[in-house]
Amino acid sequence: SASFLVMFSSATVSGVALAYIILSFFQSSVGPVSNIMIMNISPRSEWPTAFGKYNSLSSVGVIAGYVFSSFWAAFARLDLLLLVFSAVSFGASLYWTLSLKGVHPMPIERVAYTLNRQSFVNRFLSTLSVFLRIPRLNDFRRFRKLLASPMTRQAPLLYLSLFIFNIASGVYNTALNPSLVSRSLTKSEVFAVNMVAMAVQAYSMQRSGRIPPGRLVSSAKTGLTLRIAGYTVTAVAMALLTKLPLAVAVGLAFSLAGGYAYSLFYVSSTSLVFDTLQGGRQGGMLGVISALSGGGAFIGSIVSGYLAFYTGYPVTDAVAAFILLFALYTFAFAYLEHESSPRT
């Protein structure tokens, strides 16, 4: 809320940029905090459902924000919109604080740890405290050590696949809207493409929350595969089509990749991440995951700009599909023994 006020009152570009950096810093902390809350107030069997509902509501909020901002831009000053954002952020924070009063963590659930190798190892490394903090250098060193051992590498390989996934997403998402404009689509058509994809994502997030725990791995693989298909279709459409046919083709591809496939993978992978977190280190490891995800998206955005400038948008989308294929390989390798291992 305060960052929006600073942006509104800033008279220089550097002041706006600084406020936006601060805003992004605090916004990035929402993910780990929300995940910790879901883990603490929901039974383990309901984590996918709770996370699906949470992200479905988030997607609905994004759609509402897009629509509201579009109408506002047509009839009022854009800088005044920052005051609206500030008020909404403050109201949401206040509501969140008040609604959590009296909410207690779920009691510890008994799990047959010895039936699952990753859980068995984590159980010996866990403590009874739960806290949230900024990741330290030791957290990243520990991540590297876990990756080196066959007994503990499943979790870091999962995190690495999320890192690669976010690189691909950064490459694709950064190039999407400029590529559509470059192929003679109007702003309204570009807006419609994004709205359709977000609507599909909001609905799919709700449905993806119903995935049974035993199907999380296969659902995540399916989501990655469909997302690769969506990226590939976009690359082909960008090379061959223009105007309305392009809008229809990319709208369908983006609805598949950024809507259904994204929700399927994101809900499944996040539930799997929850299963790998060790007691007492949830905050630190979620910080590592958030840093990897944010870093991946940032790297992808930078790479996307260079690729689009030097090779064109079709090649950029094709590269994003190839990077995502590597993420699928990493994820599949992490759970190579999943089908044959006992389930808890």
Side-chain angles (χ1 to χ4, degrees):
S1 179
S3 297
F4 286 122
L5 292 178
V6 173
M7 292 174 68
F8 174 78
S9 60
S10 296
T12 62
V13 175
S14 59
V16 174
L18 178 60
Y20 184 75
I21 291 173
I22 297 174
L23 173 66
S24 300
F25 174 80
F26 286 104
Q27 184 179 357
S28 65
S29 67
V30 173
V33 172
S34 301
N35 292 342
I36 288 287
M37 289 174 56
I38 290 175
M39 292 175 64
N40 283 342
I41 66 178
S42 301
R44 181 181 180 277
S45 60
E46 296 180 7
W47 284 352
T49 302
F51 191 74
K53 289 181 178 179
Y54 170 76
N55 282 276
S56 178
L57 291 174
S58 297
S59 299
V60 172
V62 171
I63 294 174
Y66 279 159
V67 173
F68 178 79
S69 297
S70 299
F71 279 102
W72 185 283
F75 300 105
R77 287 166 43 190
L78 280 177
D79 59 337
L80 295 178
L81 187 58
L82 295 172
L83 297 179
V84 178
F85 290 161
S86 179
V88 172
S89 299
F90 178 78
S93 300
L94 182 62
Y95 175 77
W96 194 356
T97 301
L98 295 177
S99 63
L100 290 177
K101 281 189 174 182
V103 177
H104 302 287
M106 291 293 299
I108 297 175
E109 299 174 74
R110 296 184 179 274
V111 180
Y113 287 102
T114 55
L115 298 182
N116 182 278
R117 184 176 64 184
Q118 183 67 37
S119 297
F120 182 72
V121 174
N122 286 349
R123 184 65 185 87
F124 278 99
L125 298 176
S126 66
T127 60
L128 297 178
S129 60
V130 177
F131 56 93
L132 182 69
R133 58 176 171 80
I134 297 174
R136 296 177 298 188
L137 183 60
N138 285 338
D139 291 313
F140 290 94
R141 289 174 177 169
R142 182 170 169 274
F143 177 86
R144 185 180 61 185
K145 290 180 180 179
L146 290 174
L147 187 61
S149 173
M151 287 290 292
T152 58
R153 67 185 176 192
Q154 185 182 81
L157 282 175
L158 171 60
Y159 306 158
L160 183 60
S161 70
L162 293 176
F163 173 68
I164 301 171
F165 171 86
N166 279 280
I167 292 178
S169 298
V171 172
Y172 180 84
N173 293 334
T174 301
L176 181 64
N177 290 339
S179 67
L180 295 176
V181 174
S182 72
R183 300 292 285 179
S184 302
L185 265 68
T186 65
K187 292 181 180 180
S188 298
E189 290 171 335
V190 174
F191 180 76
V193 168
N194 284 272
M195 285 298 96
V196 170
M198 289 304 303
V200 172
Q201 183 184 114
Y203 175 76
S204 300
M205 282 290 185
Q206 183 75 19
R207 299 285 298 179
S208 298
R210 303 175 186 177
I211 300 173
R215 294 184 55 192
L216 291 174
V217 173
S218 60
S219 296
K221 291 179 181 179
T222 301
L224 284 173
T225 303
L226 293 177
R227 194 167 173 89
I228 293 171
Y231 283 9
T232 304
V233 171
T234 302
V236 174
M238 287 300 304
L240 302 178
L241 303 176
T242 59
K243 297 184 178 180
L244 186 59
L246 176 64
V248 174
V250 174
L252 294 174
F254 190 36
S255 296
L256 174 65
Y260 178 70
Y262 175 78
S263 62
L264 198 61
F265 174 74
Y266 200 60
V267 171
S268 300
S269 62
T270 302
S271 298
L272 291 170
V273 166
F274 287 174
D275 285 335
T276 65
L277 296 178
Q278 301 174 11
R281 293 191 175 96
Q282 289 97 330
M285 290 309 296
L286 280 175
V288 171
I289 297 168
S290 296
L292 289 173
S293 299
F298 176 76
I299 293 172
S301 298
I302 298 297
V303 171
S304 180
Y306 280 99
L307 283 174
F309 182 79
Y310 289 107
T311 65
Y313 291 114
V315 174
T316 302
D317 294 329
V319 169
F322 178 78
I323 295 174
L324 201 58
L325 183 64
F326 188 57
L328 174 60
Y329 172 80
T330 305
F331 180 86
F333 184 73
Y335 290 92
L336 191 62
E337 301 177 4
H338 179 266
E339 297 298 331
S340 59
S341 61
R343 290 188 180 131
T344 58

